[in-house]
PDB file of all heavy atoms in Angstrom:
ATOM      1  N   ILE A   6      -1.156  13.369   3.399  1.00  0.00           N
ATOM      2  CA  ILE A   6      -1.882  14.478   4.100  1.00  0.00           C
ATOM      3  C   ILE A   6      -1.460  15.792   3.578  1.00  0.00           C
ATOM      4  O   ILE A   6      -0.386  16.028   3.573  1.00  0.00           O
ATOM      5  CB  ILE A   6      -1.828  14.362   5.463  1.00  0.00           C
ATOM      6  CG1 ILE A   6      -2.199  12.998   6.155  1.00  0.00           C
ATOM      7  CG2 ILE A   6      -2.591  15.525   6.246  1.00  0.00           C
ATOM      8  CD1 ILE A   6      -3.745  12.672   5.912  1.00  0.00           C
ATOM      9  N   ALA A  27       1.716  19.368  10.968  1.00  0.00           N
ATOM     10  CA  ALA A  27       2.448  18.679  10.002  1.00  0.00           C
ATOM     11  C   ALA A  27       3.494  17.761  10.625  1.00  0.00           C
ATOM     12  O   ALA A  27       3.758  16.678  10.213  1.00  0.00           O
ATOM     13  CB  ALA A  27       3.029  19.609   8.956  1.00  0.00           C
ATOM     14  N   ARG A  39       2.782  20.525   2.954  1.00  0.00           N
ATOM     15  CA  ARG A  39       2.257  21.766   3.602  1.00  0.00           C
ATOM     16  C   ARG A  39       2.394  22.895   2.470  1.00  0.00           C
ATOM     17  O   ARG A  39       3.618  23.156   2.060  1.00  0.00           O
ATOM     18  CB  ARG A  39       2.939  22.154   4.836  1.00  0.00           C
ATOM     19  CG  ARG A  39       2.330  23.349   5.532  1.00  0.00           C
ATOM     20  CD  ARG A  39       2.818  23.493   7.063  1.00  0.00           C
ATOM     21  NE  ARG A  39       4.236  23.351   7.148  1.00  0.00           N
ATOM     22  CZ  ARG A  39       5.017  24.390   7.485  1.00  0.00           C
ATOM     23  NH1 ARG A  39       4.587  25.622   7.559  1.00  0.00           N
ATOM     24  NH2 ARG A  39       6.274  24.155   7.650  1.00  0.00           N
ATOM     25  N   ASP A  44       0.783  30.717  -2.998  1.00  0.00           N
ATOM     26  CA  ASP A  44       1.180  30.102  -4.286  1.00  0.00           C
ATOM     27  C   ASP A  44      -0.025  29.788  -5.211  1.00  0.00           C
ATOM     28  O   ASP A  44       0.309  29.278  -6.248  1.00  0.00           O
ATOM     29  CB  ASP A  44       1.932  28.751  -3.952  1.00  0.00           C
ATOM     30  CG  ASP A  44       3.212  29.009  -3.163  1.00  0.00           C
ATOM     31  OD1 ASP A  44       3.851  30.167  -3.352  1.00  0.00           O
ATOM     32  OD2 ASP A  44       3.580  28.204  -2.372  1.00  0.00           O
ATOM     33  N   PRO A  46      -2.783  32.186  -5.948  1.00  0.00           N
ATOM     34  CA  PRO A  46      -3.580  33.352  -5.828  1.00  0.00           C
ATOM     35  C   PRO A  46      -4.818  33.368  -6.702  1.00  0.00           C
ATOM     36  O   PRO A  46      -4.800  32.781  -7.855  1.00  0.00           O
ATOM     37  CB  PRO A  46      -2.554  34.497  -6.421  1.00  0.00           C
ATOM     38  CG  PRO A  46      -1.637  33.803  -7.158  1.00  0.00           C
ATOM     39  CD  PRO A  46      -1.565  32.392  -6.569  1.00  0.00           C
ATOM     40  N   ALA A  73      -4.391  14.663  -5.031  1.00  0.00           N
ATOM     41  CA  ALA A  73      -3.239  13.874  -4.907  1.00  0.00           C
ATOM     42  C   ALA A  73      -2.941  13.351  -3.463  1.00  0.00           C
ATOM     43  O   ALA A  73      -2.053  12.729  -3.161  1.00  0.00           O
ATOM     44  CB  ALA A  73      -1.913  14.551  -5.357  1.00  0.00           C
ATOM     45  N   ILE A  79      -7.151  21.756   7.194  1.00  0.00           N
ATOM     46  CA  ILE A  79      -7.185  23.217   6.976  1.00  0.00           C
ATOM     47  C   ILE A  79      -7.153  23.820   8.442  1.00  0.00           C
ATOM     48  O   ILE A  79      -7.832  23.597   9.261  1.00  0.00           O
ATOM     49  CB  ILE A  79      -8.501  23.680   6.257  1.00  0.00           C
ATOM     50  CG1 ILE A  79      -8.608  22.933   4.932  1.00  0.00           C
ATOM     51  CG2 ILE A  79      -8.577  25.125   6.091  1.00  0.00           C
ATOM     52  CD1 ILE A  79      -9.833  23.231   4.122  1.00  0.00           C
ATOM     53  N   PRO A  89     -11.810  33.579   7.279  1.00  0.00           N
ATOM     54  CA  PRO A  89     -11.405  34.705   6.530  1.00  0.00           C
ATOM     55  C   PRO A  89     -11.689  34.556   5.095  1.00  0.00           C
ATOM     56  O   PRO A  89     -12.024  33.390   4.586  1.00  0.00           O
ATOM     57  CB  PRO A  89      -9.917  34.662   6.785  1.00  0.00           C
ATOM     58  CG  PRO A  89      -9.501  33.291   7.035  1.00  0.00           C
ATOM     59  CD  PRO A  89     -10.680  32.764   7.749  1.00  0.00           C
ATOM     60  N   LEU A  91      -9.966  34.615   2.467  1.00  0.00           N
ATOM     61  CA  LEU A  91      -9.059  33.803   1.751  1.00  0.00           C
ATOM     62  C   LEU A  91      -9.482  32.328   1.743  1.00  0.00           C
ATOM     63  O   LEU A  91      -9.436  31.742   0.705  1.00  0.00           O
ATOM     64  CB  LEU A  91      -7.650  34.021   2.460  1.00  0.00           C
ATOM     65  CG  LEU A  91      -6.504  32.954   1.846  1.00  0.00           C
ATOM     66  CD1 LEU A  91      -6.137  33.353   0.412  1.00  0.00           C
ATOM     67  CD2 LEU A  91      -5.334  33.025   2.653  1.00  0.00           C
ATOM     68  N   ALA A 143     -21.414  21.714   3.190  1.00  0.00           N
ATOM     69  CA  ALA A 143     -22.148  22.028   2.031  1.00  0.00           C
ATOM     70  C   ALA A 143     -21.454  21.610   0.773  1.00  0.00           C
ATOM     71  O   ALA A 143     -22.249  21.378  -0.274  1.00  0.00           O
ATOM     72  CB  ALA A 143     -22.310  23.535   2.076  1.00  0.00           C
ATOM     73  N   GLN A 152     -11.678  18.297  16.207  1.00  0.00           N
ATOM     74  CA  GLN A 152     -10.978  19.488  15.698  1.00  0.00           C
ATOM     75  C   GLN A 152     -10.170  20.085  16.898  1.00  0.00           C
ATOM     76  O   GLN A 152     -10.257  19.573  18.019  1.00  0.00           O
ATOM     77  CB  GLN A 152     -12.235  20.404  15.322  1.00  0.00           C
ATOM     78  CG  GLN A 152     -13.096  20.910  16.378  1.00  0.00           C
ATOM     79  CD  GLN A 152     -14.215  21.787  16.008  1.00  0.00           C
ATOM     80  OE1 GLN A 152     -14.735  21.591  14.874  1.00  0.00           O
ATOM     81  NE2 GLN A 152     -14.597  22.682  16.783  1.00  0.00           N
ATOM     82  N   ALA A 154      -9.189  23.929  18.641  1.00  0.00           N
ATOM     83  CA  ALA A 154      -9.320  25.317  18.703  1.00  0.00           C
ATOM     84  C   ALA A 154      -8.144  25.640  19.730  1.00  0.00           C
ATOM     85  O   ALA A 154      -8.345  25.393  20.905  1.00  0.00           O
ATOM     86  CB  ALA A 154     -10.680  25.661  19.164  1.00  0.00           C
ATOM     87  N   PHE A 157      -5.263  31.235  23.289  1.00  0.00           N
ATOM     88  CA  PHE A 157      -4.070  31.857  23.787  1.00  0.00           C
ATOM     89  C   PHE A 157      -2.755  31.375  23.101  1.00  0.00           C
ATOM     90  O   PHE A 157      -1.866  30.980  23.722  1.00  0.00           O
ATOM     91  CB  PHE A 157      -3.885  31.788  25.352  1.00  0.00           C
ATOM     92  CG  PHE A 157      -5.183  32.173  25.941  1.00  0.00           C
ATOM     93  CD1 PHE A 157      -5.926  31.133  26.670  1.00  0.00           C
ATOM     94  CD2 PHE A 157      -5.664  33.446  25.962  1.00  0.00           C
ATOM     95  CE1 PHE A 157      -7.100  31.468  27.332  1.00  0.00           C
ATOM     96  CE2 PHE A 157      -6.857  33.814  26.616  1.00  0.00           C
ATOM     97  CZ  PHE A 157      -7.661  32.850  27.195  1.00  0.00           C
ATOM     98  N   ALA A 176      -5.431  17.010  22.206  1.00  0.00           N
ATOM     99  CA  ALA A 176      -6.489  17.407  21.213  1.00  0.00           C
ATOM    100  C   ALA A 176      -5.872  17.300  19.828  1.00  0.00           C
ATOM    101  O   ALA A 176      -6.433  16.777  18.762  1.00  0.00           O
ATOM    102  CB  ALA A 176      -6.969  18.926  21.296  1.00  0.00           C
TER     103      ALA A 176
END
Side-chain angles (χ1 to χ4, degrees):
I6 302 293
R39 186 165 46 108
D44 295 329
I79 300 174
L91 174 66
Q152 63 184 32
F157 310 112

